[in-house]
Amino acid sequence: MGIETSVANKKVKQVGELAKDKIPIPNSNLNPKTNTNSKGKRGRRRHHKKMVAVSPVQKLFNTCNEVFDSCSTGIIPSSDNIQKLKAVLDNFKPADVGLFPEMPHFQASVAGRTPVIRYLHLHECDKFSMGIFCLPPSGVIPLHNHPGMTVFSKLLFGTMHIKSYDWVADVPATKQTEVRLAKVKVNSKLTAPCNTSILYPTDGGNMHCFTAVTACAVLDVLGPPYSAPDGRHCQYYLDFPFANFSVNGVSIPEEEKEGYAWLQEREKPEDLTFVGELYGGPAIVEK
């Protein structure tokens, strides 16, 4: 999904600084148990290391560190690394990040008001970011892009409609209307449990729109994350049917026109609101 969430992140980090001392962090250096006995072989000290289970979210963090270690704008991880990260996300459940559908994050909005999208910040560095979007029923994340990024989206629960596009090669934006031709990649509903969706810099539906049919939560991993100074600004779009515009030299067979649309850049919608919430799931240890 991958929306710029710098404001939400800042709020969450400020709350997190106050709460970090209250969040238990797994101790990987537990003292081994010992059992001593002075008689014969029993007198030998025996060390018993207590194995500390790695939480799913910690495993996700560790895997992202490996997968995105040498990646940057426009650089896609190897196919093996993509499958490694996908396998970790495919097994994710809401409880793995401390979520359940009855939480206030997912309550329906008051009639007539635009639903508020809540964002749980898990981690962000120069290489990748991890976060969860919490959408109440009818919540919408408008059509937007992911420039030079590889994005993994895992629907944790609920049903969501996804519509995504990729640019049509060799058809630049028109000067008169400032629209550009795109091809529909996905236009369907997705219901959890389901596999992880992956989009790439120029394929896989790099521009997408999410609409919550029911309350739902989406775990997003972006590599690299949004960064306007590095040319990775989140751009929003309007989409129009192919028949709305006539451009010289561009023609599509009648039976295929529904699979294309013209996209036009727009400012971030005024009624789009992201609110940062404190992540309350298992702690992530940054080694």
Side-chain angles (χ1 to χ4, degrees), residues 71-207:
C71 292
S72 58
T73 303
I75 304 300
I76 302 172
S78 68
S79 57
D80 287 345
N81 277 337
I82 287 174
Q83 291 306 312
K84 180 189 297 185
L85 181 50
K86 181 178 182 298
V88 173
L89 284 166
D90 281 345
N91 293 320
F92 248 78
K93 299 176 178 60
D96 293 334
V97 284
L99 289 181
F100 50 92
E102 295 76 22
M103 295 176 73
H105 306 337
F106 307 102
Q107 292 180 353
S109 300
V110 177
R113 294 186 179 180
T114 302
V116 174
I117 311 299
R118 303 191 182 273
Y119 180 75
L120 308 181
H121 173 76
L122 302 185
H123 174 80
E124 182 169 339
C125 62
D126 292 340
K127 295 293 185 179
F128 66 93
S129 66
M130 298 161 42
I132 303 169
F133 289 91
C134 303
L135 290 81
S138 301
V140 177
I141 297 182
L143 186 63
H144 62 281
N145 69 348
H146 308 82
M149 302 153 69
T150 302
V151 179
F152 296 73
S153 297
K154 169 63 176 176
L155 182 62
L156 297 174
F157 67 81
T159 297
M160 174 179 287
H161 181 268
I162 301 174
K163 189 167 189 179
S164 66
Y165 299 91
D166 287 314
W167 295 122
V168 174
D170 303 324
V171 181
T174 63
K175 294 181 180 180
Q176 295 82 3
T177 57
E178 296 183 346
V179 295
R180 184 176 175 185
L181 187 62
K183 181 176 176 58
V184 176
K185 183 68 177 184
V186 177
N187 187 16
S188 62
K189 292 180 181 179
L190 199 62
T191 300
C194 55
N195 289 332
T196 304
S197 300
I198 308 173
L199 62 84
Y200 305 93
T202 60
D203 190 24
N206 186 275
M207 297 155 289

Side-chain angles (χ1 to χ4, degrees), residues 222-277:
L222 287 69
Y226 284 108
S227 174
D230 296 316
R232 299 190 300 274
H233 165 68
C234 181
Q235 177 63 58
Y236 292 90
Y237 297 92
L238 295 171
D239 56 345
F240 302 95
F242 178 82
N244 280 29
F245 298 92
S246 178
V247 177
N248 290 336
V250 179
S251 62
I252 302 292
E254 188 65 34
E255 64 275 11
E256 297 180 13
K257 288 183 178 180
E258 289 188 1
Y260 291 84
W262 297 100
L263 304 190
Q264 185 180 57
E265 293 185 1
R266 64 177 297 187
E267 296 295 325
K268 177 183 175 182
E270 293 183 358
D271 60 351
L272 177 62
T273 303
F274 291 105
V275 175
E277 298 286 352

Side-chain angles (χ1 to χ4, degrees), residues 16-31:
E17 287 299 319
L18 297 176
K20 66 179 181 180
D21 292 333
K22 300 180 181 179
I23 301 175
I25 299 178
N27 184 357
S28 59
N29 296 314
L30 297 177
N31 292 327

